Amino acid sequence: MLRKDYLLSMMEELTTAVATVLGLRRENKHVEALNQLDDLLNKQFRLRSDLLRRLPPEQIIELFRLGPGIEADKLQQVARILEEEAMIYLETDRTDEGIRILMKSLHLYLCSDSKGAARELQTLPERISCIVNLVREYELPPETSRLLAAYYEREDRLDEAADVWFGLAWEQPELLSEAESFYSQLLDKTNAELERGGISRQEVTEGLAEITQLYERK
């Protein structure tokens, strides 16, 4: 009960801050908006945004390690703050930095979801979908792509998981065997399971054949 109350309190504070930031963005007060987010990070987590901008996502995740596990709900809160910060950079023509932070936010969202974060706190699937759409034209870091593929698989969106693995197979030769393994596992599913996941057995067979050929050439 105490954990639930604590999380709800954090969420209410974040919701209020995001609303304030949105208002500041509408008034083109971007510096004030960034300061608001930095203050929230400091208050809730004793962190600074400049630190999070420097750290790779894997190191940010380690900041929220508790024993053998991860404080997934806190991690998704940080991801939301970074997402809001990235939107400010995009609005002020700092596109490269904005996209880089968005990718970091996506990585943290995906990790928090895989670790059992309460999805209702941030409408997590909606947040993930939003960022994926924003960065669609950019190449994700391999580890983020792997998390995204796993997320799609959990969501039974097998067609999208397959697309991610196919892209990884072409872009990252060291992941060819993992991509081949994923496609091989799809062949173990029934036609009904594949159809429910948005992919046909023929598509899986053809994709596996292409990946196998690529693997043999490498």
Side-chain angles (χ1 to χ4, degrees), residues 145 149-150 152-153 157-171 175-191 193-194 197-215:
S145 290
Y152 284 145
E153 191 173 1
R157 293 156 65 177
L158 301 179
D159 55 337
E160 293 176 272
D163 285 344
V164 174
W165 273 116
F166 194 85
L168 280 171
W170 279 93
E171 297 160 4
L175 298 180
L176 274 168
S177 61
E178 290 185 50
E180 189 175 36
S181 176
F182 171 79
Y183 272 82
S184 296
Q185 290 171 15
L186 288 184
L187 288 177
D188 293 333
K189 296 183 179 293
T190 65
N191 289 339
E193 288 173 326
L194 292 174
I199 195 169
S200 68
R201 186 167 298 277
Q202 181 178 348
E203 288 173 311
V204 175
T205 302
E206 291 174 352
L208 178 59
E210 288 191 53
I211 289 174
T212 300
Q213 290 174 6
L214 181 63
Y215 186 73

Side-chain angles (χ1 to χ4, degrees), residues 83-136:
E83 180 188 356
E84 293 298 324
E85 181 178 330
M87 296 308 297
I88 294 171
Y89 286 126
L90 292 179
E91 289 176 357
T92 53
D93 296 325
R94 297 167 66 180
T95 303
D96 289 346
E97 190 163 9
I99 293 297
R100 184 175 58 81
I101 296 173
L102 271 181
M103 289 182 180
K104 187 176 296 187
S105 173
L106 176 61
H107 191 108
L108 300 185
Y109 275 136
L110 292 168
C111 178
S112 67
D113 186 67
S114 72
K115 301 299 182 182
R119 286 184 159 194
E120 66 276 10
L121 288 180
Q122 292 296 335
T123 54
L124 202 45
E126 181 180 321
R127 302 262 47 86
I128 290 171
S129 178
C130 179
I131 297 180
V132 167
N133 286 330
L134 286 170
V135 301
R136 190 170 298 279

Side-chain angles (χ1 to χ4, degrees), residues 9 12 40 55 71 77-78 111 148 157 159 161 170:
S9 176
E12 290 172 0
L40 182 63
L55 291 179
E71 296 180 289
Q77 300 286 83
V78 171
C111 178
L148 183 60
R157 293 156 65 177
D159 55 337
W170 279 93

Side-chain angles (χ1 to χ4, degrees), residues 18 21 25 30 33-35 37-38 41 48-54 78-92 94 97-102 105:
V18 168
V21 166
R25 285 167 55 191
H30 296 105
L34 288 172
N35 288 338
L37 293 172
D38 197 35
L41 268 175
R48 305 289 301 189
S49 60
D50 58 344
L51 172 65
L52 296 187
R53 284 196 298 273
R54 293 196 304 271
V78 171
R80 181 59 189 275
I81 294 171
L82 286 176
E83 180 188 356
E84 293 298 324
E85 181 178 330
M87 296 308 297
I88 294 171
Y89 286 126
L90 292 179
E91 289 176 357
T92 53
R94 297 167 66 180
E97 190 163 9
I99 293 297
R100 184 175 58 81
I101 296 173
L102 271 181
S105 173

